[in-house]
Amino acid sequence: MKENMVVNKECLTLNDVVEARERIKDICVNTKLIYSSEFSRESGNEVYIKPENLQITGAFKLRGALNKVGKLSEEQKEKGLIASSAGNHAQGVAYAASKLGIQATIVMPETTPLIKVQATKNYGVNVVLKGKIYDEAYEEAKRLEKENGYTFVHPFNDVDVAAGQGTIAIEIMEELKDVDAILVPIGGGGLISGISVAAKAINPKVKVIGVQGEHANPMKVSFDTGKLTFADTIDTIADGAAVKKPGDITFEIVKEHVDEIVTVSDQELMEAVFILLEKHKLVAEATGVMSLAALKRLDFTGKKVVSLISGGNIDVVTIASMLNHGLVSRGRLFCFSVKLQDTPGQLLKISKVLSDKGANVIKLDHNQFKAIDRLKHVVLEVTVETNGHEHIDEIVKALNKEGYNVDKVY
């Protein structure tokens, strides 16, 4: 981590957020809270979901972009906008520009998935692919800003953008007046800045808790040390929050208004994606479920908690992989191998044990060539659908009782 001096500080007030709400109300969706019995049971708190994955463009980013664009002068609108993003911010700015009839250019890294590039182009903006990483796309956007006189719309380090995101807090507190805590994902800090300022102004007693990845937490380090700190490396599946450099503006706000910041693992994120889809039929990206994954990290129970789902823009291949991980982590999928004597009836014997224990066989691999002494033995690899970790333990014990040594594959 490298320390960096604060170079800019601007004030954000509840009034800014109230004005932002008026500015964006006719376009943005007021995403209503959803009570979660599953997450409530697992966390010991009364949990409500704020589903910004159901927002237009699939993420909260539209709010900040609309507010920023809506405040531009006529001269700025005529010259056009520019932004750099590989995901939700790109689509937010693109939608805002198209809705208000403003020309916009979005610079995206060359490595951006084609589905996200096309989704951004579909809003009628000019997309420029530049660089292998976000930082290179950002530098190109800043170059084009200077060259063409565009207005740059920053994804988080901007008071007007943060004010737009803060409208989420007003909606939460109007719908759940006695909310005790709001959990918010953190990347660069724009979302939690707006939410914390608005929430604390309405009710100073409400807790605002930020969430970052275990290996992508420069804002937490900055918050804990009191000094704005940049990360040398970032490692998280929550790509929407993979920010090495938190904003200097947002850090000052976070430092003053946020109560604490907790971290979550990639494994916890994948499990949260799985539970959200299975129990609530809601699709979210890894960044989107950070606040749900963090519920287990809270040091209190019996409180009314709102977890903000920040976005749902995830491709099918990625979500399929996450769901498989979720099945394994929840004990719903069990793969094991056993060595069998190469004699008739062995496979039937294994099948009977699994049937008696109610395990649903998904896949069998009966392979003689995996055994070292393959003239006498074969290796059987079995994948079964199970009802949880206790069920898996029962299956293993039953197999052991029949004389089989079980090796867990996953």
Side-chain angles (χ1 to χ4, degrees), residues 19-38:
E19 289 179 356
R21 189 191 193 193
E22 188 65 24
R23 195 170 289 117
I24 71 175
K25 69 177 184 180
D26 293 333
I27 299 176
C28 283
V29 174
N30 183 341
T31 51
K32 297 297 183 179
L33 296 177
I34 300 169
Y35 173 72
S36 173
S37 57
E38 181 69 17

Side-chain angles (χ1 to χ4, degrees), residues 186 212-219 233-236 241-243:
I186 298 180
Q212 290 204 292
E214 284 182 340
H215 305 294
N217 62 344
M219 185 64 90
T233 59
I234 290 290
D235 184 12
T236 178
V243 176

Side-chain angles (χ1 to χ4, degrees), residues 79-85 103-108 126-131 136-153:
K79 289 185 176 181
L81 308 174
I82 191 161
S84 54
S85 169
Q103 179 188 0
T105 297
I106 310 295
V107 185
M108 309 179 85
N126 177 38
V127 173
V128 175
L129 299 178
K130 182 70 174 181
E136 293 174 1
Y138 171 80
E139 291 302 324
E140 176 66 7
K142 295 299 287 184
R143 185 189 71 78
L144 291 173
E145 173 195 21
K146 186 176 181 180
E147 184 179 289
N148 298 287
Y150 297 145
T151 295
F152 183 77
V153 183

